[in-house]
């Protein structure tokens, strides 16, 4: 890997850590694989718009935090948006996940 992408790798690693060992694992995992957690099961019930909406919501919240000078909290929220964006990549790569049509 080239050093020119180290900062990107650090952000992606932080998003992974948040999902695998942080808030995501603590609140949502229930000992299940990532693709069996609510981030995917809700999308199966209502469509991938749930995940896309979560990306938008988390980015808006992060922007509001940044305006208030809460940069560490904003960065944490953006990691959640990255995880939701990654879930879209997985959902669209594996249509067999059983996405419901948008409501």
């Amino acid at each position: 890997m080239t050093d020119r992408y180290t900062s990107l790798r650090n952000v992606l690693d932080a998003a992974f850590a948040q999902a695998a060992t942080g808030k995501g694992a603590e609140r949502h995992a229930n000992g299940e694989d990532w693709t069996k957690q609510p981030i995917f099961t809700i999308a199966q019930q209502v469509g991938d718009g749930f995940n896309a909406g979560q990306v938008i919501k988390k980015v808006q919240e992060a922007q509001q935090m940044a305006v208030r000078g809460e940069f560490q909290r904003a960065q944490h929220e953006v990691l959640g948006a990255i995880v939701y964006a990654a879930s879209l990549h997985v959902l669209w790569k594996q249509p067999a996940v059983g996405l419901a049509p948008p409501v």
Side-chain angles (χ1 to χ4, degrees):
M1 179 177 72
T2 177
D3 290 339
R4 293 178 292 193
Y5 291 90
T6 299
S7 60
L8 173 60
R9 179 59 185 241
N10 291 341
V11 171
L12 296 176
D13 286 345
F16 172 81
Q18 179 177 298
T21 64
K23 176 184 168 187
E26 292 168 5
R27 293 172 112 182
H28 308 296
N30 297 322
E32 296 288 344
D33 290 341
W34 188 50
T35 57
K36 304 252 191 278
Q37 294 176 22
I39 194 170
F40 288 93
T41 59
I42 294 171
Q44 291 170 346
Q45 295 169 0
V46 300
D48 59 2
F50 167 74
N51 303 63
Q54 286 293 326
V55 172
I56 295 165
K57 177 178 103 29
K58 288 180 174 298
V59 168
Q60 284 182 336
E61 290 170 348
Q63 288 174 311
Q64 292 167 357
M65 291 171 189
V67 166
R68 294 191 302 265
E70 301 169 352
F71 296 107
Q72 189 172 9
R73 288 185 66 209
Q75 289 172 314
H76 183 78
E77 202 63 30
V78 165
L79 295 179
I82 292 167
V83 172
Y84 269 100
S87 75
L88 287 168
H89 188 275
V90 172
L91 285 166
W92 296 335
K93 189 174 181 180
Q94 301 173 356
V97 171
L99 282 178
V103 289

